[in-house]
Amino acid sequence: MSKSIPIRLTLISFFFVLAMVLFLPSTPISKDLPSFWRNNVPKINLGLDLQGGMHLVLQVDTEKAVANHTQRLASSISSLLIEKKAAITSVKASGVSDISIAYTGTDTKDIEKLMDSNYQIFKKTRGAGSEIIYTLIDGEIERIKEWSVSQALETIRNRIDKFGVAEPHIQRQGINEIIVQLPGLKDTERAIALIGKTAVLEFKLVDETGDVKKAAEENITPEGDELLYQRGTDKETGIVKQTPYLLKKQTLITGDSLTDARVAIDSQFNEPYVSITFDSEGARQFEKITAESVGKRLAIILDGNVYSAPNIQERIGGGRAMITGRFTHEEASDLAIVLRAGALPAPVNIIQNVTVGPSLGQDSIEAGVKACIIGGILVLLFMMFYYKFAGVIADFAVVLNISMLLGAMAWFNATLTLPGIAGIILTIGMGVDSNVLIFERIKEELRLGKTPRSAVDAGYDRAWWTVIDSHVTTLITAAVLFQFGSGPIKGFAVSLSLGILINLFTALVGTKVIFDMMHQRRRVERVSI
């Protein structure tokens, strides 16, 4: 017996057993497997088209991102000009990308010089009376828009990762759109609320001296104040209650300083709240704010909604604070997730929301499995009928190929989609095609009068490069599909790529070893082919 035959048989047996170990936990019989096997082996995930879920198309409001950035720059410019003792009365953001600087006196050279040396991203556009207008340059506007979409993509990905959805598909589409696909998700409203929350966290002092009732009724606020509301829904009646707060406009500290946010339980009222932790700089600021504002109320605001406005009893050191608001555990958990993942740089608008029902997914699975079974059986019967015993060997290779392919997909925790099932069927076809090429070459050698062993060896040698060429070219195509495709197309590329690599092994090693064993054990007079 050739020394290589035991090695090849060992390899085939090892890969087959390994494939079964990996694949079985992804099948319906997984519940009958031992728990250590079922719980520790990665499983094949089903894509959105097979198990249902949610498909969202989000549009990032890039104009708002530019406006927010301009607003922050206005504050920064104001601080600089005041520090340099420039003769100004105010610095305000106006429009989307304009900043208006109101000055006193007649000479604006100092202001212009400071702006030119520190804010080259602005250009002076116009001015009337005692105002100078600066506008962001086009390059900076485009940079902010591009950054806002990239940052929104990353923030949404972080939120979904923390939310715990398996195999989400999140990618950018076009200039300012983001596609989000969440397979298997059932609580779509919760997911939409989690994804769409801008999560801008701010801390502001409550203006205790202002008349909040008058401000709410007449919608007129004192200079330097703003009117915000605490909105809450009564869990029994469902009525939304709004409590107005008159707040100082100045933001004392923002969520940018957070390092952690977690759900905790209030020991007194047994209600969940969100415990937040600041970084070292944020902790220092927070301690300073609370030390200077003892006895005052500090409002905690998220996306313009006041969550709570507790009274500051004493200086708070250690960089920790809490957000209360009569949350359910899910609400507190989602709030902690968005705070940990960070704020969106701009609001996102849902322009498409498609929920794929599980019944459609089940129909697709059943149709795909049925197509696989019927197609596979027909191919196996044809091979046995046309190539006789050699056809049985080819059928063995096909079964080995499918088993190892499914095991490999489980190992890589791959997602099986409907196009992925098509990729498996295509792989079966390519596996059969490889054996047909080899068998036809063997037939030609037999017709030339060669002995069975010589004909088999020559058939494999002659078909070798043809099989390699066809598989490599298909593999290149699959790689391109994976690189530039999305969602189900990638699923197709993954199953096809794995199938091709495994097919080369089963077609050139799996079947050849059986022919070699036949010729080693006894003298074969003819090949049943």
Side-chain angles (χ1 to χ4, degrees):
M1 180 181 288
S2 169
K3 290 181 180 179
S4 67
I5 291 178
I7 296 174
R8 283 182 283 168
L9 282 175
T10 303
L11 273 178
I12 293 170
S13 303
F14 172 75
F15 285 129
F16 179 75
V17 172
L18 180 62
M20 288 295 102
V21 169
L22 293 171
F23 173 56
L24 288 179
S26 298
T27 65
I29 68 168
S30 64
K31 58 181 181 297
D32 299 322
L33 299 176
S35 58
F36 72 91
W37 184 357
R38 186 174 60 244
N39 298 331
N40 294 296
V41 173
K43 297 178 180 61
I44 299 174
N45 298 303
L46 298 180
L48 184 69
D49 53 352
L50 292 184
Q51 63 169 323
M54 189 170 70
H55 173 95
L56 291 175
V57 179
L58 309 169
Q59 188 176 56
V60 182
D61 188 348
T62 52
E63 293 292 317
K64 183 66 177 173
V66 176
N68 291 341
H69 192 73
T70 306
Q71 180 68 50
R72 287 193 292 274
L73 286 172
S75 300
S76 174
I77 291 170
S78 176
S79 300
L80 174 69
L81 295 180
I82 292 172
E83 181 185 336
K84 299 295 182 183
K85 303 187 184 322
I88 63 165
T89 55
S90 67
V91 178
K92 295 179 182 176
S94 58
V96 175
S97 57
D98 291 350
I99 284 181
S100 167
I101 302 175
Y103 61 92
T104 59
T106 56
D107 190 359
T108 61
K109 286 184 180 176
D110 289 344
I111 297 173
E112 293 176 16
K113 187 176 178 183
L114 284 169
M115 288 295 293
D116 290 343
S117 57
N118 293 280
Y119 294 95
Q120 296 173 357
I121 54 176
F122 281 100
K123 61 182 177 183
K124 184 181 174 184
T125 53
R126 60 191 181 278
S130 58
E131 281 190 344
I132 311 174
I133 304 297
Y134 280 90
T135 302
L136 283 172
I137 59 175
D138 293 342
E140 180 66 8
I141 292 174
E142 291 305 314
R143 187 197 67 78
I144 295 168
K145 288 182 176 179
E146 177 68 22
W147 169 83
S148 64
V149 178
S150 301
Q151 184 64 31
L153 183 71
E154 190 62 30
T155 302
I156 290 171
R157 182 174 287 125
N158 287 338
R159 290 181 183 180
I160 291 172
D161 285 346
K162 291 176 173 63
F163 192 48
V165 177
E167 291 293 316
H169 172 69
I170 307 159
Q171 77 166 51
R172 182 172 178 171
Q173 173 179 272
I175 298 173
N176 60 350
E177 293 178 359
I178 296 173
I179 294 176
V180 178
Q181 292 182 342
L182 305 176
L185 189 77
K186 295 185 174 123
D187 193 349
T188 54
E189 290 186 5
R190 185 183 171 196
I192 290 172
L194 181 80
I195 294 169
K197 197 185 289 290
T198 309
V200 175
L201 181 67
E202 299 170 291
F203 291 79
K204 296 182 178 181
L205 284 174
V206 177
D207 185 358
E208 305 281 7
T209 59
D211 188 343
V212 64
K213 186 177 179 184
K214 183 180 178 184
E217 289 175 352
E218 300 178 5
N219 198 25
I220 300 174
T221 58
E223 180 70 21
D225 284 1
E226 64 180 343
L227 186 69
L228 295 179
Y229 289 86
Q230 181 180 27
R231 296 178 178 85
T233 305
D234 190 297
K235 293 172 184 172
E236 294 180 357
T237 62
I239 297 173
V240 178
K241 183 181 177 184
Q242 296 193 120
T243 305
Y245 282 88
L246 198 57
L247 307 174
K248 297 289 184 184
K249 272 187 179 178
Q250 184 187 6
T251 301
L252 302 176
I253 189 169
T254 68
D256 293 342
S257 304
L258 292 187
T259 58
D260 195 16
R262 295 186 181 281
V263 179
I265 303 297
D266 187 302
S267 58
Q268 185 178 359
F269 301 103
N270 196 31
E271 287 185 348
Y273 67 91
V274 178
S275 171
I276 56 177
T277 306
F278 294 102
D279 59 19
S280 57
E281 177 60 23
R284 189 189 63 76
Q285 286 184 29
F286 192 68
E287 184 173 1
K288 181 172 179 287
I289 292 165
T290 53
E292 294 173 351
S293 308
V294 172
K296 298 178 182 176
R297 298 178 72 189
L298 184 65
I300 302 170
I301 306 146
L302 186 71
D303 293 343
N305 184 33
V306 178
Y307 269 72
S308 55
N311 196 51
I312 301 173
Q313 306 281 353
E314 58 185 354
R315 174 200 297 260
I316 303 174
R320 289 181 180 276
M322 64 170 64
I323 303 175
T324 58
R326 301 190 65 187
F327 301 118
T328 64
H329 195 278
E330 279 188 351
E331 289 170 343
S333 175
D334 290 350
L335 178 57
I337 287 173
V338 297
L339 291 176
R340 283 204 304 272
L344 289 173
V348 293
N349 303 311
I350 297 173
I351 59 175
Q352 187 179 11
N353 177 10
V354 178
T355 302
V356 182
S359 58
L360 177 61
Q362 188 60 38
D363 290 345
S364 301
I365 294 172
E366 290 174 0
V369 171
K370 190 183 293 181
C372 272
I373 293 173
I374 294 174
I377 290 174
L378 289 176
V379 168
L380 296 178
L381 290 175
F382 172 79
M383 291 299 289
M384 284 192 291
F385 172 77
Y386 192 80
Y387 288 106
K388 304 179 179 61
F389 182 72
V392 175
I393 295 175
D395 291 346
F396 162 73
V398 169
V399 173
L400 193 62
N401 191 356
I402 295 173
S403 305
M404 292 171 63
L405 172 57
L406 294 175
M409 290 185 71
W411 174 262
F412 289 110
N413 208 205
T415 299
L416 182 62
T417 61
L418 199 57
I421 294 176
I424 295 174
I425 296 172
L426 180 58
T427 300
I428 295 173
M430 291 192 67
V432 172
D433 188 49
S434 302
N435 285 291
V436 168
L437 281 172
I438 294 168
F439 294 164
E440 289 301 320
R441 298 291 86 77
I442 293 174
K443 279 186 171 181
E444 289 174 5
E445 297 299 324
L446 289 172
R447 283 195 288 269
L448 292 174
K450 288 189 176 180
T451 62
R453 178 168 186 172
S454 299
V456 169
D457 290 341
Y460 272 92
D461 289 343
R462 287 181 58 193
W464 173 274
W465 286 112
T466 305
V467 173
I468 294 287
D469 286 349
S470 64
H471 282 64
V472 168
T473 50
T474 309
L475 188 62
I476 292 171
T477 306
V480 173
L481 285 175
F482 183 83
Q483 179 65 33
F484 297 103
S486 63
I489 303 301
K490 279 196 173 185
F492 173 77
V494 168
S495 60
L496 182 60
S497 304
L498 290 172
I500 288 169
L501 294 174
I502 293 168
N503 192 40
L504 282 173
F505 175 76
T506 55
L508 299 177
V509 178
T511 56
K512 182 67 164 49
V513 73
I514 297 176
F515 282 114
D516 288 346
M517 287 174 62
M518 289 169 51
H519 291 108
Q520 287 285 340
R521 290 179 180 278
R522 59 189 174 85
R523 180 180 178 81
V524 178
E525 299 294 337
R526 58 182 292 274
V527 179
S528 176
I529 191 169

